[in-house]
Amino acid sequence: MSLVRVAYFMGLIICLPLFIRTWGVLFNAETPINAALVIGEAVKLSWLLQAVALLISAPWFIRDFAIKQALIAHLMLIMAPVPFFVVAWLADAITLMMMLKLVASLVMVSLFCVFMILPFNRLWFFKYMPINLDMPLCLMAAVFIWKTSDLWLRWLT
Amino acid sequence: MIQRRLYSWVLAWIYLSSAEADIAPKIDTFPVWNSRYNVGKATEVEVRLIAAQDGDYVISTGSLSANVHLLMDTPKSIWLPLRPDSSGSIALKAYKRGESAVAVERSMTFSAIDKPQIVMVTDGVTADGRQALIQQLRVSDHDVFTSISAQALPRFGTSYASVHAVVMHFSALQTLEDRQIKALSRFLMQCGSMIALAFPDPIFKRLKQLSGCQGNFLVNVFSADQLAAQRAMLEKPSALPVFTELLDTRPRSKIDQLYTLLVIFCLGYLLIGFIAVGVASRQRTLFILPLISAGIALLVWGHRQPDKVLSSWLEMGAGQSSAWYSARLTLQGTGFWRERIELPIEAVYAANTAVDGQMLMTENGSLEFPVEYGLLSQNTYHWQSGLSVDAPLSLAIENGMPVVVNSGPQLTKQGLFRWRGSIYILPSLQPGHAWRLSSATAKAEYAKIVEMFAKQSRQDSFALLIPFSADILPAVAQRSGWLLIHGANSGVL
């Protein structure tokens, strides 16, 4: 399976449980519910999961594929939930500016991650280590984003 | 030379200043009920304007504004419905259209009272007579009595929200304007209490027929002494019920359709995506797929009219010409849409209702304001009021058994009938046809609507309930509702 297919598959897999969860909340609500709030929360969670997926997948992608391919794959991962973002925008859950900021921030995460890992892996110290350290570092970055997600999302939304 | 130039500048300044002063109209304000109001309830103010120039003027307070055309040096009054906050402070601004920078401002303060007041209309009643009436009506020291002239009675039915009872002599009724009579009628339709003083019998009977709760809260007295027997009437609670269950009566078909379409879209995209991952021969296909799906979403829901549903529950007494009702308007967004809607003041100033944007008072006394819809957005307005209704069915007792006659021109739908505590199915009736309860009549099985009917008619020995679409908001196409006609012992719940 090509890298782009894997990335798209990952993107869809992230969307599926979020969609089911959101739909469950909206459909099973016995009293009138603010759909925009529920969908907005799902969009935020989707952004968080995507950012984590980008960080975790970057070392694998770079190790076995060219940078261009890795970046295209990340773009695919970012694009997978775009139809859901558009639905969220139509539902007034996010503004157009918010949507652009969310997508742009994911692109930034991807670029930052890819271009930081490359020189890092080429350093002689890390090159001859028995294990690759890029993966644990990306994991730490993912944990950092997860733990500080409130701040990021407050800034982005 | 310099002196002459300075002189001309001063002259120009004086001219411009006086011109500016002429642009703004002069205003006087006269709050209704002597400025007394109940917090959270609507009230109103009469604004008397006089302008030095002909033209269109705007008067605004908070988010409400109204347009008025003024003729030079001709005073004109405009009545504004208000809902002051707990501080009771209201600021008014008046200016010539397009000249908002040159505005005249007034502020006024309403006094909050804890309980609804008893209004004494002074026309036709002497000061001694009023004192005698107040003595008879006073139950506790906390009762609030407000004396006003007939001319000062409100023009909007909503302004009676902070009134418990009105005491009025027939001579006062004769001086009322049409709008005041309409507002008073609206108050009576909603089971408002009124003590009519020396009303002629035909007029009183007409008022009684118009009043809600079968006129149980309307009495006619000819002397203060007669009031003692009627005082208990003022202590009765309002008969209007609160219908939190009204939501259940609205049709869900269109909303369900929207939800189904959204599920199909979202699941369809996911499914096609997963299939494409496996079978697409080109990577480009995978990039195009989300873009096409987003485009479809924009096309389908980008610009779509909202779904408006009005549910109502009306109640009236047999033989009455008006009903008191509870209505719920649901504006369901089915995509992006912006429009201005017009709603009655009762809907906008109902408790727990907030409107975003600037409201404009229309000529027919409704409020117009902008509404923005999104996909799945929902705006709900819930209010209670009264309206004139021609009952489609009439109720009578013949030989000790109830008879229902379709007195209207249209076929009535199947409904429910209550008789001696049991609820039966009332069949659909052709115009002119009668229905009699018999031992073969089927009893209604348990359902939410049966439970609601039983609750609302619990004081009645007989009553009926039929599906009925009231003429509350003609602009709303989807209307559903129920009409409960109370038989005997009705009204007081």
Side-chain angles (χ1 to χ4, degrees), chain B residues 14-15 50 53 56 58 112 120 145 165 190 223-224 250-251 253 268 339 343 347 385 443:
Chain B
I14 289 169
Y15 173 77
I50 186 159
Q53 295 175 6
D56 291 324
V58 178
M120 312 283 296
F145 289 89
Q190 293 178 73
S223 70
R250 77 193 168 108
S253 58
E339 66 176 7
L343 288 184
S385 188
K443 278 193 177 180

Short mmCIF file of all heavy atoms in Angstrom, two decimals, chain B residues 14-15 50 53 56 58 112 120 145 165 190 223-224 250-251 253 268 339 343 347 385 443:
data_model
loop_
_atom_site.label_atom_id
_atom_site.label_comp_id
_atom_site.label_asym_id
_atom_site.label_seq_id
_atom_site.Cartn_x
_atom_site.Cartn_y
_atom_site.Cartn_z
N ILE B 14 -23.00 79.68 14.76
CA ILE B 14 -24.32 79.80 15.39
C ILE B 14 -25.39 79.19 14.48
O ILE B 14 -26.26 78.44 14.93
CB ILE B 14 -24.65 81.30 15.67
CG1 ILE B 14 -23.76 81.80 16.81
CG2 ILE B 14 -26.12 81.49 16.02
CD1 ILE B 14 -23.80 83.29 17.02
N TYR B 15 -25.26 79.44 13.17
CA TYR B 15 -26.25 78.91 12.22
C TYR B 15 -26.23 77.37 12.23
O TYR B 15 -27.27 76.71 12.32
CB TYR B 15 -25.96 79.44 10.82
CG TYR B 15 -26.82 78.81 9.77
CD1 TYR B 15 -28.15 79.21 9.61
CD2 TYR B 15 -26.32 77.79 8.95
CE1 TYR B 15 -28.95 78.61 8.66
CE2 TYR B 15 -27.12 77.19 8.01
CZ TYR B 15 -28.43 77.60 7.86
OH TYR B 15 -29.24 77.01 6.93
N ILE B 50 -42.01 65.81 18.99
CA ILE B 50 -42.36 67.01 18.22
C ILE B 50 -41.08 67.47 17.51
O ILE B 50 -40.01 67.54 18.11
CB ILE B 50 -42.99 68.10 19.12
CG1 ILE B 50 -43.47 69.26 18.27
CG2 ILE B 50 -42.08 68.58 20.20
CD1 ILE B 50 -44.52 70.12 18.98
N GLN B 53 -38.83 70.01 11.90
CA GLN B 53 -38.79 69.78 10.45
C GLN B 53 -39.64 68.57 10.11
O GLN B 53 -39.70 67.62 10.89
CB GLN B 53 -37.36 69.48 10.00
CG GLN B 53 -36.40 70.60 10.17
CD GLN B 53 -34.98 70.18 9.80
OE1 GLN B 53 -34.74 69.09 9.31
NE2 GLN B 53 -34.03 71.06 10.05
N ASP B 56 -38.65 61.73 8.30
CA ASP B 56 -38.69 60.41 8.96
C ASP B 56 -37.71 60.42 10.12
O ASP B 56 -36.54 60.80 9.95
CB ASP B 56 -38.30 59.32 7.96
CG ASP B 56 -39.38 59.15 6.90
OD1 ASP B 56 -40.56 59.28 7.25
OD2 ASP B 56 -39.03 58.91 5.73
N VAL B 58 -36.22 58.30 13.77
CA VAL B 58 -36.01 56.98 14.38
C VAL B 58 -35.97 57.17 15.88
O VAL B 58 -35.34 58.09 16.37
CB VAL B 58 -34.68 56.34 13.90
CG1 VAL B 58 -34.46 54.99 14.56
CG2 VAL B 58 -34.66 56.20 12.40
N ALA B 112 -39.53 48.55 40.08
CA ALA B 112 -39.88 47.12 40.13
C ALA B 112 -40.80 46.86 41.33
O ALA B 112 -40.58 47.39 42.42
CB ALA B 112 -38.61 46.29 40.26
N MET B 120 -56.60 50.60 38.88
CA MET B 120 -57.88 51.30 38.97
C MET B 120 -57.91 52.36 37.87
O MET B 120 -57.06 53.26 37.87
CB MET B 120 -58.01 52.03 40.32
CG MET B 120 -57.66 51.21 41.54
SD MET B 120 -58.95 50.08 42.00
CE MET B 120 -60.26 51.19 42.41
N PHE B 145 -51.84 48.95 44.35
CA PHE B 145 -52.93 49.55 43.57
C PHE B 145 -52.36 50.70 42.74
O PHE B 145 -51.64 51.54 43.27
CB PHE B 145 -54.04 50.06 44.49
CG PHE B 145 -54.83 48.95 45.12
CD1 PHE B 145 -54.43 48.40 46.34
CD2 PHE B 145 -55.94 48.44 44.49
CE1 PHE B 145 -55.14 47.36 46.91
CE2 PHE B 145 -56.67 47.40 45.07
CZ PHE B 145 -56.25 46.86 46.28
N ALA B 165 -55.25 42.56 38.05
CA ALA B 165 -56.66 42.82 37.76
C ALA B 165 -56.84 44.27 37.35
O ALA B 165 -56.07 45.14 37.75
CB ALA B 165 -57.51 42.51 38.98
N GLN B 190 -56.69 35.91 27.92
CA GLN B 190 -55.74 35.08 28.67
C GLN B 190 -56.15 34.92 30.12
O GLN B 190 -55.31 34.75 31.00
CB GLN B 190 -54.35 35.71 28.60
CG GLN B 190 -53.77 35.69 27.21
CD GLN B 190 -52.42 36.36 27.18
OE1 GLN B 190 -51.43 35.81 27.67
NE2 GLN B 190 -52.35 37.54 26.63
N SER B 223 -71.92 48.54 42.68
CA SER B 223 -71.53 49.34 43.85
C SER B 223 -70.37 48.66 44.55
O SER B 223 -70.13 47.46 44.37
CB SER B 223 -72.72 49.46 44.82
OG SER B 223 -72.95 48.20 45.42
N ALA B 224 -69.64 49.45 45.34
CA ALA B 224 -68.46 48.92 46.03
C ALA B 224 -68.84 47.78 46.97
O ALA B 224 -68.06 46.85 47.19
CB ALA B 224 -67.78 50.04 46.80
N ARG B 250 -44.96 18.55 17.82
CA ARG B 250 -44.50 19.04 16.53
C ARG B 250 -44.08 17.88 15.61
O ARG B 250 -43.54 16.88 16.09
CB ARG B 250 -43.35 20.03 16.71
CG ARG B 250 -42.04 19.39 17.02
CD ARG B 250 -41.04 20.41 17.49
NE ARG B 250 -39.89 19.76 18.05
CZ ARG B 250 -38.72 19.72 17.45
NH1 ARG B 250 -38.54 20.28 16.31
NH2 ARG B 250 -37.71 19.12 18.02
N PRO B 251 -44.33 18.01 14.31
CA PRO B 251 -43.92 16.93 13.41
C PRO B 251 -42.41 16.93 13.24
O PRO B 251 -41.80 17.98 13.09
CB PRO B 251 -44.61 17.32 12.09
CG PRO B 251 -44.88 18.78 12.19
CD PRO B 251 -44.97 19.13 13.63
N SER B 253 -40.84 14.99 10.89
CA SER B 253 -40.48 14.38 9.62
C SER B 253 -39.34 15.12 8.91
O SER B 253 -38.36 14.51 8.49
CB SER B 253 -41.70 14.32 8.73
OG SER B 253 -42.20 15.63 8.54
N GLY B 268 -21.39 7.89 3.83
CA GLY B 268 -21.09 7.64 2.41
C GLY B 268 -19.67 8.06 2.09
O GLY B 268 -18.93 7.33 1.41
N GLU B 339 -32.10 35.96 7.23
CA GLU B 339 -33.36 36.64 6.89
C GLU B 339 -33.82 37.47 8.07
O GLU B 339 -33.31 37.35 9.18
CB GLU B 339 -34.43 35.61 6.51
CG GLU B 339 -34.85 34.72 7.65
CD GLU B 339 -35.98 33.79 7.28
OE1 GLU B 339 -36.37 33.74 6.12
OE2 GLU B 339 -36.48 33.10 8.20
N LEU B 343 -42.13 38.62 14.46
CA LEU B 343 -42.83 37.83 15.48
C LEU B 343 -43.65 38.76 16.37
O LEU B 343 -43.31 39.93 16.54
CB LEU B 343 -41.82 37.08 16.35
CG LEU B 343 -41.10 35.88 15.74
CD1 LEU B 343 -40.22 35.22 16.78
CD2 LEU B 343 -42.07 34.86 15.19
N ALA B 347 -43.92 36.84 21.76
CA ALA B 347 -42.90 35.82 21.50
C ALA B 347 -41.51 36.34 21.83
O ALA B 347 -40.67 35.62 22.38
CB ALA B 347 -42.96 35.39 20.04
N SER B 385 -50.59 33.59 24.70
CA SER B 385 -51.40 34.75 24.39
C SER B 385 -52.85 34.31 24.18
O SER B 385 -53.22 33.19 24.55
CB SER B 385 -50.84 35.43 23.13
OG SER B 385 -51.50 36.66 22.93
N LYS B 443 -62.73 3.49 24.02
CA LYS B 443 -61.92 4.33 24.92
C LYS B 443 -60.54 4.54 24.29
O LYS B 443 -60.03 3.67 23.58
CB LYS B 443 -61.77 3.66 26.27
CG LYS B 443 -62.98 3.88 27.17
CD LYS B 443 -62.67 3.47 28.58
CE LYS B 443 -63.85 3.78 29.48
NZ LYS B 443 -63.62 3.40 30.86
#
